């Protein structure tokens, strides 16, 4: 077996992976902020770390995979006030915050089940761990690295940097950050230094989500929740911390700082970050008005889409590029991925039906050696920082050989029985078990279900329009009885989630 090497963002190099406890791996991945629907950009980290999770298990490790749900505390400091994404969206949709959270958590789970992502071992929520976050903040304050100001608590970055390397992960230089900070523009008068980050925020009277604390009613900062939850379920130090490259700073940098003070050691030994998905070279994000929701990808209902794309096509599209490289969206790229996946799946189905039969004639030594090499390289590539792109490239090299055996251009006896068994094992191990691909027929069934639900939603709209509320309620209630929840949006549209 090849040694597993992981690119460690902390040291900016590939390193041989050794787990903290032999045979066991603790992995924490920053989960979604459930203030809205997941989009294509969100698909990349969770598909990436699904492959990491699958391969570690394939290697025989017992993996505890923790992926959180951010249902409180993810606020953006803009001007004088901190804006909580959950609270803001709940007010816009006229929902209770936890109602909003449940709606988008269900939608997240539904989408990633269609991507064939394995469920994490533990999926903690920020709101379920307020006590742990408060206790961690108290410890940091007792050690002198945080201070209270007007009912809020801030981490003292400047003091931390006197004896620790703030910027160890992101490469940021504190002096440069201090020089570029502008107190007048930022408006954060209650901070000692503008680079200080909130561990706890005082809740103004109109703020919906609030909890009692030693500093008054408030809500946790975004960074503290991951440190509190990861240490609870994985210990003060664990093996792998993952997330998107956009989380390196400030989120992961702040996690490192507060955890090191609270626990006295670096929280994770290997830091992994996937790169971004771009559209025409620009990062996908709400600020650019170029996000494509996952439900829009599945239905084709977006102005940037020429057609609907199945979850497996999207998964394949993402895995065709190494996770640390940028991935640019285009209809052409997705349609090429669709054809490529069909080609590989067709070869796999042919291979499953073949059985070895030798007729005593000599094998083709050159072909046998080449097939063996392509198979063995798959293990080498996946062990080299999870290079799914190279694995898929080798499967594409092998698919014509499989089709040629079926067509008779290559005789079965030209491969040794050992090589043929290796070929079958390689395709099962990599295409199915590690890359997590599955037949399009399964996702096509989901597409048919989606079409039926869309039809029923249209019928319900028509019933409401003619004020036939009995028929409208009947459609809603019968769908709910089989686990499909309809939601009337304030703009008159209708969405659904599978419970």
């Amino acid at each position: 077996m090849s040694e597993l090497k992981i690119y460690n963002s902390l040291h900016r190099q590939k390193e041989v992976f050794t787990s903290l406890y032999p045979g066991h791996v603790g992995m924490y991945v920053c989960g979604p902020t459930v203030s809205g629907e997941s989009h294509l950009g969100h698909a990349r980290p969770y598909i990436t770390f699904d492959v990491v999770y699958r391969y570690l298990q394939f290697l025989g490790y017992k993996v505890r995979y923790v992926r959180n749900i951010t249902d409180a505390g993810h606020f953006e400091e803009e001007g004088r006030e901190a804006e909580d994404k959950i609270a803001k969206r709940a007010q816009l949709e006229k929902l209770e915050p936890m109602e909003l959270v449940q709606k988008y958590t269900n939608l997240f789970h539904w989408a990633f089940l269609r991507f064939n992502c394995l469920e994490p071992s533990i999926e903690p929520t920020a709101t379920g761990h307020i006590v742990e976050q408060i206790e961690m903040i108290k410890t940091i304050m007792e050690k002198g690295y945080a201070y209270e100001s007007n009912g809020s608590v801030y981490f003292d970055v400047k003091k931390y940097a006197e004896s620790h390397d703030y910027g160890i992960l992101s490469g940021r230089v504190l002096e440069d950050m201090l020089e570029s900070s502008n107190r007048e523009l930022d408006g954060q008068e209650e901070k000692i230094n503008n680079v200080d980050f909130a561990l706890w925020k005082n809740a103004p009277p109109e703020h919906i989500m609030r909890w009692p604390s030693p500093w008054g009613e408030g809500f946790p900062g975004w960074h503290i929740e991951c440190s509190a939850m990861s240490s609870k379920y994985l210990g003060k130090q664990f093996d792998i911390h993952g997330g998107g490259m956009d989380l390196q700073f400030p989120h992961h940098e702040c996690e490192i700082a507060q955890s090191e003070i609270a626990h006295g050691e670096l929280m994770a030994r290997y830091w992994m970050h996937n790169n971004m998905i771009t559209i025409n070279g620009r990062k996908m994000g709400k600020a650019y008005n170029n996000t494509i929701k996952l439900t829009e990808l599945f239905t084709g209902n977006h102005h940037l889409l020429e057609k609907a794309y199945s979850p497996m096509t999207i998964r394949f599209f993402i895995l065709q590029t190494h996770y640390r490289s940028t991935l640019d969206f285009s209809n052409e790229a997705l349609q090429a991925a669709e054809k490529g996946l069909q080609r590989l799946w067709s070869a796999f189905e042919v291979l499953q039906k073949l059985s070895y039969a030798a007729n005593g004639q000599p094998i083709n030594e050159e072909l046998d050696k080449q097939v063996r090499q392509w198979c063995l390289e798959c293990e080498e590539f996946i062990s080299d920082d999870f290079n799914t792109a190279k694995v898929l490239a080798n499967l594409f090299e092998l698919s014509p050989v499989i089709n040629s055996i079926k067509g008779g251009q290559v005789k079965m006896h030209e491969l040794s029985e050992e090589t043929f068994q290796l070929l079958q094992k390689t395709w099962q191990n990599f295409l199915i078990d590690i890359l997590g691909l599955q037949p399009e027929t399964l996702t096509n069934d989901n597409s048919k279900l989606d079409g039926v639900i869309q039809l029923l939603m249209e019928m319900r709209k028509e019933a409401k329009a003619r004020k036939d509320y009995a028929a409208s309620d009947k459609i809603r209630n019968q769908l709910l009885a089989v686990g499909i929840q309809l939601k009337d949006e304030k703009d008159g549209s209708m969405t659904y989630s599978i419970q």
Side-chain angles (χ1 to χ4, degrees):
M1 295 289 289
S2 301
E3 285 186 313
L4 173 59
K5 295 190 257 329
I6 294 177
Y7 183 89
N8 192 345
S9 301
L10 191 68
H11 303 135
R12 297 165 183 78
Q13 64 182 13
K14 288 181 189 177
E15 297 173 354
V16 174
F17 176 75
T18 55
S19 60
L20 195 60
Y21 302 103
H24 296 259
V25 173
M27 180 170 76
Y28 186 93
V29 174
C30 290
T33 299
V34 284
S35 60
E37 271 197 61
S38 298
H39 57 68
L40 176 59
H42 296 137
R44 194 170 195 191
Y46 305 124
I47 290 173
T48 293
F49 288 101
D50 182 62
V51 170
V52 173
Y53 183 31
R54 285 170 177 273
Y55 188 53
L56 289 169
Q57 288 183 313
F58 178 81
L59 291 176
Y61 287 105
K62 182 175 174 57
V63 185
R64 178 174 287 177
Y65 174 20
V66 181
R67 186 186 67 207
N68 72 297
I69 294 287
T70 298
D71 57 354
H74 189 164
F75 57 83
E76 297 172 338
E77 293 184 5
E78 298 173 346
R80 295 178 180 273
E81 299 298 333
E83 180 178 79
D84 188 298
K85 290 183 177 181
I86 303 287
K88 180 183 178 183
R89 187 62 179 261
Q91 289 173 332
L92 285 173
E93 295 199 22
K94 299 188 180 346
L95 297 172
E96 285 292 329
M98 287 299 102
E99 186 180 5
L100 178 99
V101 161
Q102 192 63 56
K103 168 186 173 180
Y104 288 118
T105 300
N106 289 345
L107 200 54
F108 170 79
H109 288 153
W110 171 79
F112 284 90
L113 184 63
R114 297 186 77 187
F115 284 132
N116 197 30
C117 289
L118 301 176
E119 293 181 350
S121 313
I122 303 173
E123 191 175 55
T125 64
T127 55
H129 295 77
I130 298 296
V131 171
E132 289 84 353
Q133 293 172 74
I134 289 173
E135 289 303 310
M136 190 171 181
I137 294 168
K138 285 163 67 176
T139 299
I140 295 169
M141 291 185 77
E142 287 165 6
K143 293 185 177 181
Y145 285 86
Y147 57 90
E148 181 185 355
S149 179
N150 298 328
S152 296
V153 180
Y154 293 96
F155 188 88
D156 191 335
V157 170
K158 199 170 180 182
K159 181 174 180 179
Y160 172 81
E162 290 173 0
S163 53
H164 301 81
D165 185 1
Y166 186 74
I168 187 172
L169 181 68
S170 63
R172 303 281 182 111
V173 179
L174 180 60
E175 289 72 20
D176 294 343
M177 288 188 278
L178 287 168
E179 287 177 12
S180 63
S181 298
N182 188 310
R183 180 177 294 275
E184 185 178 345
L185 289 176
D186 188 57
Q188 298 293 327
E189 291 88 351
E190 60 188 28
K191 294 182 183 181
I192 294 175
N193 309 293
N194 280 357
V195 291
D196 296 347
F197 58 88
L199 299 172
W200 187 265
K201 284 295 293 184
N202 176 44
E206 69 277 7
H207 200 88
I208 304 171
M209 302 181 80
R210 55 203 304 130
W211 291 267
S213 79
W215 318 286
E217 286 199 345
F219 53 97
W222 173 29
H223 314 306
I224 193 70
E225 65 183 54
C226 287
S227 290
M229 289 186 283
S230 63
S231 61
K232 176 167 184 174
Y233 297 109
L234 297 174
K236 294 178 181 179
Q237 188 178 65
F238 53 92
D239 294 298
I240 298 171
H241 195 315
M245 196 172 284
D246 56 331
L247 297 180
Q248 277 190 302
F249 188 88
H251 187 46
H252 290 167
E253 196 75 70
C254 294
E255 279 189 62
I256 288 173
Q258 64 201 11
S259 296
E260 195 160 8
I261 294 303
H263 301 138
E265 55 189 321
L266 188 66
M267 64 186 298
R269 300 166 69 237
Y270 299 86
W271 291 77
M272 294 181 65
H273 295 92
N274 65 275
N275 214 319
M276 302 294 103
I277 293 181
T278 58
I279 296 182
N280 297 323
R282 173 177 276 184
K283 177 188 169 183
M284 182 176 290
K286 292 178 183 177
Y288 303 119
N289 194 31
N290 65 354
T291 58
I292 305 175
K293 296 174 184 176
L294 296 180
T295 51
E296 293 170 334
L297 276 163
F298 300 159
T299 61
N301 186 25
H302 190 283
H303 70 278
L304 290 172
L305 298 173
E306 293 178 2
K307 55 174 284 188
Y309 298 99
S310 75
M312 280 303 104
T313 294
I314 297 162
R315 184 177 179 107
F316 186 80
F317 165 69
I318 287 171
L319 296 180
Q320 273 190 300
T321 301
H322 188 268
Y323 77 90
R324 286 191 292 110
S325 300
T326 55
L327 175 59
D328 198 51
F329 161 87
S330 70
N331 282 281
E332 292 77 14
L334 276 170
Q335 286 163 27
E338 188 173 55
K339 291 176 183 175
L341 177 58
Q342 289 171 353
R343 181 179 159 199
L344 287 188
W345 202 264
S346 175
F348 177 66
E349 288 178 335
V350 167
L351 184 59
Q352 284 183 304
K353 295 172 184 175
L354 293 175
S355 56
Y356 190 79
N359 58 6
Q361 296 187 36
I363 65 171
N364 182 331
E365 295 284 355
E366 185 177 347
L367 177 64
D368 190 78
K369 181 180 178 182
Q370 181 64 77
V371 168
R372 240 185 124 64
Q373 179 181 331
W374 281 328
C375 290
L376 293 173
E377 280 178 345
C378 288
E379 181 199 315
E380 178 186 327
F381 295 149
I382 201 71
S383 293
D384 185 13
D385 196 32
F386 307 96
N387 199 327
T388 58
K390 285 190 174 182
V391 170
L392 287 170
N394 270 30
L395 295 183
F396 276 119
E397 294 283 6
L398 288 164
S399 61
V401 177
I402 295 167
N403 291 328
S404 295
I405 294 173
K406 179 191 176 185
Q409 296 92 340
V410 172
K411 304 301 180 185
M412 182 66 78
H413 70 80
E414 293 186 62
L415 297 180
S416 68
E417 185 173 5
E418 183 184 13
T419 298
F420 179 75
Q421 289 175 350
L422 176 64
L423 180 64
Q424 287 187 316
K425 185 179 177 183
T426 297
W427 278 71
Q428 174 65 41
N429 288 348
F430 285 89
L431 196 70
I432 309 300
D433 300 336
I434 297 170
L435 299 186
L437 295 164
Q438 62 182 9
E440 284 286 13
T441 51
L442 295 179
T443 54
N444 286 341
D445 288 344
N446 285 334
S447 298
K448 291 174 184 175
L449 174 62
D450 181 73
V452 171
I453 296 172
Q454 295 291 344
L455 176 62
L456 288 169
M457 287 196 299
E458 193 61 37
M459 290 170 64
R460 183 168 177 260
K461 280 183 186 178
E462 292 172 359
K464 289 180 74 177
R466 63 176 183 268
K467 298 186 178 180
D468 185 355
Y469 299 116
S472 170
D473 290 345
K474 184 177 180 181
I475 293 171
R476 182 195 62 201
N477 293 337
Q478 290 193 344
L479 283 173
L480 188 60
V482 295
I484 299 166
Q485 184 175 38
L486 299 184
K487 177 67 180 177
D488 295 309
E489 305 293 353
K490 64 175 186 174
D491 62 0
S493 65
M494 197 180 302
T495 58
Y496 74 89
S497 59
I498 299 176
Q499 307 301 309

